[in-house]
Amino acid sequence: MQRLFSLVDHSSHRLYRAVSTSALPIIQNPDINLFSCTRQIKELSKLGRIDEARRVFDDMIQRDTFSWNAMITGYAQNGHIDEARVLFDAFLGKDVRSWTTMITGYAKLGLVDEARLLFGQMPVRNIISWNAMISGYVENGDIISARNLFDEMPERDVASWNTILRWYCHSYQMIDACHLFDKMTEKNLVSWSTMIAGYTNNSEYEKAWQIFREMRQNQVLVDQFVLVVTLTAVTNLNDSNLVDTLQTLAIKTSFVKDVVVGTAFLNAYARNGLIDYVKKFFKTMTDRNDFTWSTMISTLSQSGKMNEAIALYETIPDKTVNTQTAMLTSYGQHGKVNEARYLFDQISNPNMIAWNAMLTGYMQNCMVKEAWEFFRRMPNHNAVSWAAMISGFAQSGMNEEALKFFSELHQLEYAPSHSCLTSAIFACTNISSFEMGTQIHAVAIKTAAAFNSFVGNALITMYAKCRKTEDVSRAFSTVRLKDVVSWNSLVAGLSLNYLLDDATNVFRKMPKKDVVSWTSIISAYVQGGHEHKAFELFVEMLSTATIPNSSTIASLLSACASMGSARLGRQIHGFAFNLGLDSVLFVGNSLINMYFKCGSLDAFKVFDEMFDRDIVTWNTVLSGAAQQGFGKEAVEIFEQMMADGVLPNQASFIGLLCACSHAGLVEEGWNYFISMSRHFGLEPMEPHYACMVDLLGRAGRLYEAEELIERMPIEPDSVVFAALLAACRIHKNVDLGRKVAEKLFQMDPQNAGNYILLSNIYASLGMWEKVGEIRKVMKERGVTKEPGCSWIQMRNKVHTFITGDRMHEQTEQIHSKLKELFCQLQATGYVPDANFVLHDVEEEQKESVLLYHSEKLALAFGLLNTPKGAPLQIMKNLRICGDCHNFAKFLSDITSRKIVIRDGNRFHHFSNGICSCGDYW
């Protein structure tokens, strides 16, 4: 009340105007053109020339109710609520419209309490007054008061219902909106269009389409807005048939000629990938606006027809800021940043959209420095500007900078957009920053953005990466509209935290599954070591007519690699070829990895046929060549990589040095090791030193390897010392071996491999007492040796063998076959190497022990169960012993078979009595 009284007493000038106006009587005089003056007041008010309108009002000799209300409305509409109130209070003949105008004016300025007080003082109210007050509450975000007042209304019209309905839809409360909509006794076009727009904005496109169909069934005529918003819904359903249906309706109602509707159809067909039809439709359009031209430029650009986009741009008769912005955006998306900047500089008065388009262009092309400088030059910033910077930093791996920018935005007390929040959460995810992530979550809650699907899905992923499974579920439950992305994020989050059963339960409950859903659960089983289950799910996925994407194929290839199944891998390769996915870069990389992991040299063929390669491609083939024992080939590939202008990284040198080590290329390895820091600015890390120690050690240069370790600028880890110990075993250097082993026992006391290596050195020198001491130490420390195990896949079944195994159903035939082979091989020059029997037993017993090593059992089984001449592939968990290596060489010769054995370190390809490793392993 105090504010209301104070409104009158502002200045003597205002008091004078109030008194003078109140003194004028309301006289109806036919000789005075009241209508003309009142109309003039309204027109001037609409133009914002409120002082001129007031002069017309003051000059009027006679005024009627319409004149007074016109002047009060003019003040209220132009934000001069105090002047409006002075006039309102002075007006003795105020009617319902006068009161309603003031209520609307107060509400428009956010003074909803003043509006409510005035509403309570009204002597008489009509339905328009009630609607004005309800709208005031809604516009100021007080839906509870609005709904309470709505429920108190003595009578309602369709506008009353639509006001509440619009609020529910705008605030994404579609369940409440649906309930209200169903209760409406009368619906008009606004009611239907509000619901369609609400569902569309809420990404519930199918429900939007259902409402549109109900509207048509009720014979409600469409308008421009309904057609455009419904088009948006069906476009996101990716159903071109529905677009055709709407076009037929637009033709019947003549709306297809409307430029806004026509452009919406243009965009709809473009989004459905019908580029040729888009071109034809564009030519038929008789009327075009900026958005039409911009849509066409963007469509051509995004479909890879950049030259056509440029040619079209040149034909635009009047190039505006909007069309110029569309063109520079296309330049930026295609990496033509200089052309984009040239075009931007030609814009005489760029608007905020143009500034942001150029800023985004810089960030899209990882030109972070240029983007930052451009951002600082911008005259103003809006939510899009900040979002572009935050997103660009995060996408470029500059996550701390992204979060710093977000903090600055928050300090400026701007309400961050959904895009800003999503990008900031993404940055937290990249660096597993749980603390910062929870703070941003709190901001999202305060701004009501946590309910948004994009923000909610980002939170689910962030908490999953930070291993906060309870928060993952909580974030999922917060999302109001749980779209398929939300469900997929939850499945992926649970899988990431090894909650495979929970992930499967969620997957089965999903109301709708897409290819990402299937890929997520398939990948989860692959990562969990359940490859067979992953393939069962893949078959189930195909039964639902879901087409796999490149990520699905990559996951399945990873499963094949883990299983060592080249046969299954080739089937997936063929599947990828039929879908046209084999040309996708990371599918090609996965194929190379799969073939190498399966011991197949088809990996080189895939590499040679790839049109596009990245650093991952080169590193995969380098490490694969090293693992297969092709050291010289790895060196050639590295040199080809250099010739192609691809700079190596740390991983490149690990593969290269490993290849040199396995092939005995000592000098080459040294040169590459030195070049890391000298020519490429890459400081060697523990894995590189381990490779070099292995390289020197295998070559017998044990003390050089020891010296290299002592000169390391970083603290050597157990892997480095283990490489030296392995070399000591090869060369039977017991003194250095004992010294290195003691260090390893301190660093990694539970690693059985280190004890076994030292024990093997003692055994190879006949130091059986020392062997016994090692076994005793292992027993005291609770260290157990992993038994030698080999396996072979036969007709979709894996057959596993352990040294001396007699549990297999074909044991008798296997042992008989081995004895037969032993005799045949001896006749060709094979002599069992008893040095690899690490027990103090008689020579005859040593031969018997050697005969039943796990890889020999697997080889015999393979010979018994495969056609003559068929290749054999054996997997082994430990390093192959020298005798088994010789056995496989001789066997490949007398059986004319190719034999591949993958041991714990590498692949051995045996053919015609020769191994790919050159007996250097």
Side-chain angles (χ1 to χ4, degrees), residues 94-358:
K94 44 183 163 287
D95 58 6
V96 173
R97 181 171 182 177
S98 313
W99 289 85
T100 304
T101 298
M102 288 302 301
I103 290 168
T104 303
Y106 277 127
K108 183 180 178 181
L109 294 175
L111 304 172
V112 70
D113 291 338
E114 286 85 342
R116 184 67 176 91
L117 188 60
L118 204 60
F119 179 78
Q121 294 172 351
M122 287 185 72
V124 179
R125 304 185 187 109
N126 62 12
I127 199 166
I128 298 174
S129 311
W130 285 88
N131 288 343
M133 191 62 241
I134 291 171
S135 296
Y137 277 130
V138 167
E139 289 168 5
N140 287 277
D142 189 354
I143 187 59
I144 295 176
S145 297
R147 184 58 193 263
N148 289 338
L149 199 62
F150 173 82
D151 293 337
E152 293 174 16
M153 289 182 74
E155 60 175 327
R156 308 182 185 100
D157 62 5
V158 69
S160 315
W161 291 88
N162 286 342
T163 300
I164 303 296
L165 186 68
R166 193 159 35 242
W167 164 261
Y168 282 140
C169 290
H170 285 177
S171 59
Y172 304 103
Q173 299 181 48
M174 292 310 299
I175 295 176
D176 294 327
C178 186
H179 290 161
L180 192 72
F181 185 73
D182 291 340
K183 291 179 181 179
M184 291 178 70
T185 55
E186 179 188 358
K187 301 182 180 78
N188 62 8
L189 182 59
V190 174
S191 315
W192 291 98
S193 61
T194 298
M195 286 298 291
I196 295 170
Y199 278 126
T200 300
N201 293 333
N202 218 34
S203 302
E204 297 182 77
Y205 306 116
E206 290 182 357
K207 290 183 178 179
W209 174 247
Q210 289 171 7
I211 294 291
F212 176 78
R213 290 182 61 190
E214 289 178 29
M215 185 188 86
R216 294 295 297 153
Q217 288 168 3
N218 282 273
Q219 299 182 341
V220 179
L221 297 177
V222 300
D223 67 355
Q224 180 197 71
F225 175 78
V226 168
L227 277 172
V228 171
V229 75
T230 307
L231 261 175
T232 303
V234 299
T235 300
N236 283 283
L237 289 173
N238 295 317
D239 191 336
S240 57
N241 292 328
L242 296 182
V243 179
D244 292 339
T245 300
L246 286 176
Q247 187 179 4
T248 302
L249 177 61
I251 292 171
K252 289 180 179 179
T253 55
S254 299
F255 274 110
V256 75
K257 297 178 182 179
D258 181 273
V259 65
V260 176
V261 175
T263 304
F265 276 109
L266 193 73
N267 182 59
Y269 283 117
R271 288 277 301 275
N272 281 279
L274 304 172
I275 305 303
D276 291 336
Y277 190 85
V278 169
K279 293 179 183 178
K280 292 178 182 177
F281 187 86
F282 178 76
K283 289 179 180 178
T284 65
M285 295 181 68
T286 56
D287 191 14
R288 298 165 181 167
N289 60 13
D290 281 1
F291 187 59
T292 313
W293 290 103
S294 300
T295 299
M296 200 62 204
I297 291 169
S298 300
T299 299
L300 292 171
S301 170
Q302 291 170 8
S303 61
K305 302 179 184 296
M306 189 61 184
N307 291 334
E308 291 185 35
I310 296 172
L312 180 69
Y313 173 76
E314 296 298 334
T315 65
I316 299 176
D318 296 312
K319 298 179 178 64
T320 63
V321 175
N322 293 332
T323 53
Q324 289 173 309
T325 301
M327 193 65 239
L328 76 87
T329 298
S330 297
Y331 277 133
Q333 291 171 345
H334 284 262
K336 299 179 180 294
V337 185
N338 292 333
E339 290 87 342
R341 183 55 190 266
Y342 176 77
L343 187 55
F344 176 82
D345 290 340
Q346 286 184 325
I347 302 174
S348 57
N349 188 24
N351 58 20
M352 182 62 74
I353 298 174
W355 281 95
N356 287 335
M358 191 64 242

Side-chain angles (χ1 to χ4, degrees), residues 868-883:
K868 185 177 181 180
L872 297 176
Q873 182 163 323
I874 311 296
M875 304 292 179
K876 181 176 171 62
N877 63 332
L878 304 177
R879 184 180 185 274
I880 187 173
C881 78
D883 180 70

Side-chain angles (χ1 to χ4, degrees), residues 555-676:
S555 292
L556 294 170
L557 290 172
S558 177
C560 296
S562 299
M563 297 164 65
S565 178
R567 181 186 61 81
L568 193 55
R570 289 189 180 92
Q571 292 182 18
I572 301 301
H573 188 175
F575 202 87
F577 176 80
N578 292 333
L579 292 172
L581 297 174
D582 59 320
S583 59
V584 177
L585 180 58
F586 72 88
V587 171
N589 294 342
S590 298
L591 282 167
I592 294 173
N593 179 64
M594 181 274 295
Y595 279 124
F596 273 138
K597 290 287 179 65
C598 294
S600 172
L601 303 186
D602 286 345
F604 288 115
K605 183 179 179 181
V606 173
F607 174 75
D608 291 337
E609 293 176 351
M610 288 180 69
F611 294 105
D612 190 21
R613 298 166 179 164
D614 62 4
I615 188 64
V616 176
T617 314
W618 291 98
N619 290 348
T620 303
V621 79
L622 280 171
S623 62
Q627 194 177 28
Q628 305 298 322
F630 296 105
K632 293 180 180 178
E633 289 79 358
V635 170
E636 291 175 2
I637 290 167
F638 183 81
E639 293 300 330
Q640 182 186 346
M641 176 181 172
M642 294 294 95
D644 286 357
V646 181
L647 289 176
N649 59 17
Q650 299 276 6
S652 310
F653 280 100
I654 292 174
L656 179 63
L657 295 175
C658 183
C660 290
S661 174
H662 285 178
L665 304 175
V666 180
E667 297 307 319
E668 291 88 340
W670 259 120
N671 291 334
Y672 285 124
F673 180 74
I674 293 170
S675 72
M676 280 186 67

